[in-house]
Every structure is written in structure tokens, then in C-alpha cells.
Amino acid sequence: MKLLAETFDAQPNVIDWSADGKKIYFGETRGTVSRIYSLDVNSNAIAELNKGNEVISGPSLNRSQTMIGFTLQTNDKAPEAYVSQVTTFSPVQVSRANADLPKLPIGKTEVIKWKSSDGLEVEGLLTYPVNYQSGKRVPLLLIVHGGPAGVFTQSFLAGSRGVYPTEVFAARGYAMLRVNPRGSSGYGQKFRFANIKDWGGGDYQDLMTGVDEA
């Protein structure tokens, strides 16, 4: 038995072995996006296959381990099925499941970062109302995820599966802040464990300082 290198978030989802048996492919959340990685079992070197702002789910290798299939989505792009070569990540869309969605405007979303009350760097997703005019004051909704080790990612805003109809809020003039406070996944094990025996303490400060930042 050999102990392999620890991944960034210490929560890897193993996909499969490479065709030559020298690497293991796995997926993991990193911040607000998804990453597919390869882990060299001899050198323990970890490499990213994709580097964009996409959210990937359900990755699977074909029988020859040369191609990988998955669903891909972004803040403003509905999920569809894609395939790519494993050696060179270049997704090709192979489904049109959401091609008939209404072409409605979607609120702009950006990643913001700030320092919490104790100096810890925290990240969140700030979504502007549809047709937002720069400098205009608008009502802000703070949306909090559960878990507590959940995580807000840059998934399709109009496809939210949570209890909050996020795109409806944006369409009706609200800005939204979705914070990933300490205890969230996607930021490493130390960050994920930082709210143990402190629920409603530091994580609350992460939320409130995020509101101040917004």
C-alpha cells in the first residue's frame, strides 16, 4: 500500500485510472469552480486538466481511457453534455438538452474576496440585478448555504436547485451575495474545519463582513 499525495480540498472524487496505469484521474471543487486532475502515482505530482470558470459534474472515461465525458455549465450557460480528450482538455458539446430555453437576460455574477474580522480571506459570488446601472443603489439579499460544508459554485444561475429562485431575484431588481464562509468545501481541509465548535461565530463574521464588502 502507498499513501498518495493529499489533494487541495482533501475530498477527491476518483474517476478512473489512465490507460497506462500510471495516473489516477479525479475531480474536486476548487473555490467556486470544478477541476479535473491527474495524479501521477509514482511522483505524486498533481496536474489540472481544466483551468476555466466552469462547473463540471459526472465525469467518466471511455473504455480506452482516451476520452472523458461530463456535464459542463457556467453562471450564464445551462448545463450540457461534453466530451474531451484526456490529454488535452478541449470540450466539445454533444447535447442540446437546453437549446430551447427562453433567451432571457441573466444577472451578471462575479467572484469577490475580502478579509473577515480575524483576517481570514473569504470568497463569495455577487450577482447584480438584470440591467443593473453602475452606481445605482439596490436591495441586497444575503443567501447562506447549508451543510455546513456546502459551497456556492458558478453554476447556471437560472438552474438553481436550491430553495431560492436566484435568477428570479436578479430579474426583479435584487443583488445577491452568496458567501462561502469558513466551514465550506472547496478551500482546503483547514478552512473546512475552521468552524468546528464555533458555529455562528467566525462563519457569521464571514457573512457580515461580506455584506459590508458588497
Side-chain angles (χ1 to χ4, degrees):
M1 184 175 69
K2 177 181 179 179
L3 184 64
L4 298 177
E6 184 172 300
T7 66
F8 171 76
D9 201 38
Q11 296 188 112
N13 296 308
V14 176
I15 301 171
D16 211 333
W17 287 90
S18 62
D20 58 11
K22 296 181 179 180
K23 296 178 181 178
I24 294 175
Y25 295 108
F26 67 92
E28 196 169 55
T29 301
R30 180 147 191 158
T32 61
V33 298
S34 301
R35 289 286 179 264
I36 297 176
Y37 299 90
S38 66
L39 168 60
D40 189 302
V41 296
N42 292 318
S43 67
N44 262 343
I46 297 176
E48 292 182 343
L49 272 67
N50 65 310
K51 300 180 183 295
N53 292 329
E54 57 267 348
V55 175
I56 290 173
S57 58
S60 179
L61 291 179
N62 64 350
R63 187 171 297 178
S64 63
Q65 273 107 334
T66 56
M67 303 290 292
I68 186 168
F70 47 87
T71 61
L72 182 151
Q73 59 185 306
T74 63
N75 285 316
D76 56 1
K77 181 188 295 184
E80 294 286 357
Y82 289 77
V83 295
S84 171
Q85 292 185 21
V86 175
T87 53
T88 304
F89 191 80
S90 182
V92 176
Q93 185 176 334
V94 294
S95 76
R96 297 293 184 272
N98 287 304
D100 294 331
L101 283 181
K103 301 297 188 283
L104 300 175
I106 293 177
K108 172 190 172 184
T109 297
E110 64 183 20
V111 178
I112 64 171
K113 298 181 181 181
W114 63 93
K115 293 291 181 67
S116 189
S117 56
D118 60 355
L120 181 69
E121 184 173 85
V122 183
E123 191 171 71
L125 296 171
L126 179 62
T127 299
Y128 295 86
V130 172
N131 299 323
Y132 174 70
Q133 297 176 359
S134 180
K136 182 180 178 180
R137 293 178 64 86
V138 296
L140 174 71
L141 295 175
L142 173 64
I143 299 180
V144 184
H145 70 61
V151 60
F152 285 123
T153 61
Q154 297 186 58
S155 55
F156 183 50
L157 194 63
S160 174
R161 295 178 298 170
V163 297
Y164 305 111
T166 49
E167 181 50 34
V168 174
F169 294 147
R172 296 191 177 186
Y174 290 90
M176 292 175 293
L177 178 62
R178 291 170 288 162
V179 179
N180 287 329
R182 66 193 72 194
S184 300
S185 293
Y187 297 90
Q189 189 180 70
K190 183 178 179 181
F191 189 92
R192 191 168 67 255
F193 286 6
N195 68 337
I196 292 178
K197 297 183 180 180
D198 188 40
W199 284 15
D203 48 1
Y204 174 78
Q205 295 301 323
D206 299 344
L207 297 170
M208 293 300 98
T209 53
V211 170
D212 292 340
E213 178 70 16

